[in-house]
């Protein structure tokens, strides 16, 4: 059976051409293809047209602007992110944790951020999914993770989004209605089968990182083996310490919900890091995370790892800033 289906491939050289092509029904962008192609081979979607973004100008550069902002084109590869002196350490840590060297040489930042959500009932062969009556995310009408659920609970497992989110990254989007800029966090929504807020025809063009003077940030992921593996739980923390107090704190998680999410931690700003603050941070992470049985690894372990990583990173950044 040909699960890949028949589709056309277009490689536009201008943004106008790309946006126009993507506005048509059944069109989908492809960048490095490291997420999309394995999914297509499993029959997980049937696009009529793949719009290859790789020939677009000015999308593969990392540029420092006069005000200190760093603009990263969506087609910058993860390998180039890791190698660039302009990229903050937390983002490099996240990019370096993605898959293996060949994936990072081919995979792009835009593709990483816009990657599909994953689930143990979805990332399977066609015959496996059919034997299970398919699922709410694709071809079926039931979520096997949460029975009788109103929505799909497939999980977002991208590594880089949380690291960028704690650094107040903005996304530059272009589409049929022109261009717009949003906070990166607003690119996502908590809906496993429709987790991006992009409208038809829109593509992610670039990410901008403001200069964040006095902040330190870090990212760490939990995985069963130190090799090619999506984050079972991933945490990014950015912290600013001034006069023995937390002057700024930002925490984001991945591998837990259908979107990478910011954890509300404003109440901790102004306090001194210690056991009580670590306890409250853990509570906030627990409240934000909705870890379910969407991977083969148990939800309890993933939930515990989120709490442990958040406390560990915040504590390390606090000490580093002393
Ligand atoms: C074995 C394996 C292990 C992996 N491990 C990890 C991991 O540990 N962590 C992790 O984060 N990822 C992982 N990945 C997923 C993937 O390799 C990376 O996320 C990679 O960065 C995706 O980039 P890409 O350019 O190849 O995306 P593509 O496959 O080209 O695209 C991915 C999705 O994004 C859309 N898209 C691409 N570019 C744009 C754009 N500019 N605007 C709008 N939509 C766009 C595509 O339509 C598609 O839906 C893994 C993949 C494999 C196969």
């Amino acid at each position: 059976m040909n699960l890949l289906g028949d589709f056309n491939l277009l490689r536009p050289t201008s943004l106008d051409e790309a946006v126009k092509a993507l506005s048509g029904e059944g069109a989908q962008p492809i960048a490095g293809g490291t997420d999309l192609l394995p999914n297509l081979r499993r029959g997980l979607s049937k696009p009529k047209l793949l719009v290859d973004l790789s020939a677009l100008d000015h999308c593969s550069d990392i540029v420092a602007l006069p005000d200190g902002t760093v603009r990263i084109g969506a087609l910058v590869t993860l390998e180039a992110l890791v190698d660039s002196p302009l990229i903050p350490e937390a983002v490099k840590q996240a990019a370096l944790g993605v898959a293996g060297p060949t994936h990072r040489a081919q995979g792009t930042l835009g593709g990483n951020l816009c990657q599909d959500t994953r689930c143990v009932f979805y990332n399977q062969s066609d015959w496996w999914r059919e034997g299970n009556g398919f699922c709410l995310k694709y071809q079926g009408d039931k979520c096997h993770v949460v029975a009788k659920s109103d929505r799909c609970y497939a999980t977002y497992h991208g590594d880089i989004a949380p690291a960028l989110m704690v650094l107040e990254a903005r996304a530059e989007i272009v589409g049929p209605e022109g261009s717009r800029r949003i906070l990166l966090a607003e690119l996502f929504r908590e809906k496993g089968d429709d987790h991006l807020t992009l409208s038809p025809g829109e593509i992610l063009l670039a990410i901008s990182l403001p200069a964040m003077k006095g902040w330190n940030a870090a990212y760490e992921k939990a995985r069963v083996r130190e090799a090619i593996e999506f984050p079972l739980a991933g945490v990014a923390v950015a912290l600013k310490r001034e006069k023995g107090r937390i002057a700024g704190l930002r925490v984001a998680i991945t591998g837990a919900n259908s979107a990478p999410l910011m954890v509300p931690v404003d109440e901790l700003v102004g306090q001194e890091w210690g056991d009580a603050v670590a306890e409250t941070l853990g509570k906030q992470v627990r409240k934000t995370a909705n870890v379910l049985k969407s991977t083969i690894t148990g939800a309890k372990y993933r939930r515990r790892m989120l709490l442990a990583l958040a406390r560990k990173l915040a504590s390390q950044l606090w000490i580093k800033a002393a």
Side-chain angles (χ1 to χ4, degrees):
M1 186 170 30
N2 177 16
L3 289 174
L4 203 52
D6 289 329
F7 56 80
N8 290 315
L9 182 69
L10 184 75
R11 192 162 181 256
T13 50
S14 77
L15 263 182
D16 279 356
E17 200 190 341
V19 166
K20 204 170 156 201
L22 283 165
S23 304
E25 212 201 311
Q28 189 170 0
I30 179 164
T34 61
D35 182 54
L36 183 60
L37 289 179
N39 283 352
L40 291 185
R41 286 205 188 100
R42 287 192 150 168
L44 292 174
S45 73
K46 295 257 182 292
K48 289 184 190 156
L49 173 69
L50 286 188
V51 180
D52 177 359
L53 305 178
S54 63
L56 295 181
D57 268 348
H58 310 304
C59 291
S60 307
D61 307 324
I62 304 177
V63 183
L65 303 178
D67 67 353
T69 301
V70 174
R71 186 179 183 276
I72 316 164
L75 291 171
V76 167
T77 64
L78 306 191
E79 183 183 72
L81 266 190
V82 173
D83 288 346
S84 169
L86 297 174
I87 298 300
E89 205 43 44
V91 180
K92 290 188 182 205
Q93 287 165 346
L96 200 55
V98 173
T102 48
H103 290 90
R104 295 194 292 273
Q106 176 73 13
T108 65
L109 176 61
N112 186 277
L113 296 172
C114 297
Q115 67 180 271
D116 200 3
T117 51
R118 305 180 64 78
C119 180
V120 72
F121 294 99
Y122 173 69
N123 297 94
Q124 300 287 354
S125 63
D126 193 65
W127 64 263
W128 193 100
R129 287 181 297 115
E130 188 180 11
N132 224 14
F134 296 104
C135 74
L136 198 54
K137 182 161 164 68
Y138 189 54
Q139 293 173 308
D141 56 7
K142 247 189 229 153
C143 174
H144 302 295
V145 174
V146 181
K148 293 188 190 158
S149 68
D150 51 339
R151 72 161 175 96
C152 161
Y153 283 87
T155 310
Y156 183 83
H157 287 277
D159 273 301
I160 305 180
L164 290 170
M165 280 158 53
V166 296
L167 294 171
E168 292 183 3
R170 284 175 185 273
E172 211 176 302
I173 292 163
V174 66
E177 310 297 329
S179 61
R180 61 188 177 104
R181 276 165 61 85
I182 54 171
L183 274 174
L184 178 59
E186 293 165 6
L187 178 67
F188 305 101
R189 65 176 149 234
E190 267 266 61
K191 199 165 178 246
D193 56 350
D194 188 20
H195 70 295
L196 296 177
T197 57
L198 295 176
S199 303
E202 283 192 326
I203 52 175
L204 177 63
L205 198 58
I207 292 295
S208 300
L209 280 175
M212 285 178 67
K213 239 180 145 190
W215 288 76
N216 286 301
Y219 173 79
E220 197 168 325
K221 75 198 264 185
R223 48 185 167 182
V224 172
R225 46 182 190 184
E226 281 299 313
I228 297 176
E229 193 152 39
F230 286 89
L232 294 168
V235 180
V237 178
L239 185 141
K240 187 176 187 178
R241 175 176 176 165
E242 267 172 10
K243 298 181 188 149
R245 302 269 152 195
I246 298 170
L249 181 64
R250 298 173 62 80
V251 179
I253 57 172
T254 187
N257 300 54
S258 294
L261 294 180
M262 293 297 299
V263 177
V265 288
D266 282 354
E267 65 180 290
L268 303 180
V269 175
Q271 300 193 42
E272 189 180 339
W273 177 259
D275 289 347
V277 173
E279 185 63 29
T280 312
L281 171 60
K283 271 188 197 150
Q284 291 303 93
V285 171
R286 196 178 299 126
K287 260 197 222 167
T288 308
N290 186 23
V291 187
L292 299 166
K293 286 184 186 166
S294 57
T295 71
I296 51 166
T297 312
K300 201 169 164 191
Y301 168 78
R302 289 163 57 211
R303 211 172 292 125
R304 282 186 169 196
M305 285 310 293
L306 283 174
L307 305 195
L309 288 174
R311 289 183 192 144
K312 177 181 143 186
L313 291 180
S315 170
Q316 285 175 345
L317 292 170
W318 171 260
I319 293 164
K320 187 177 171 185

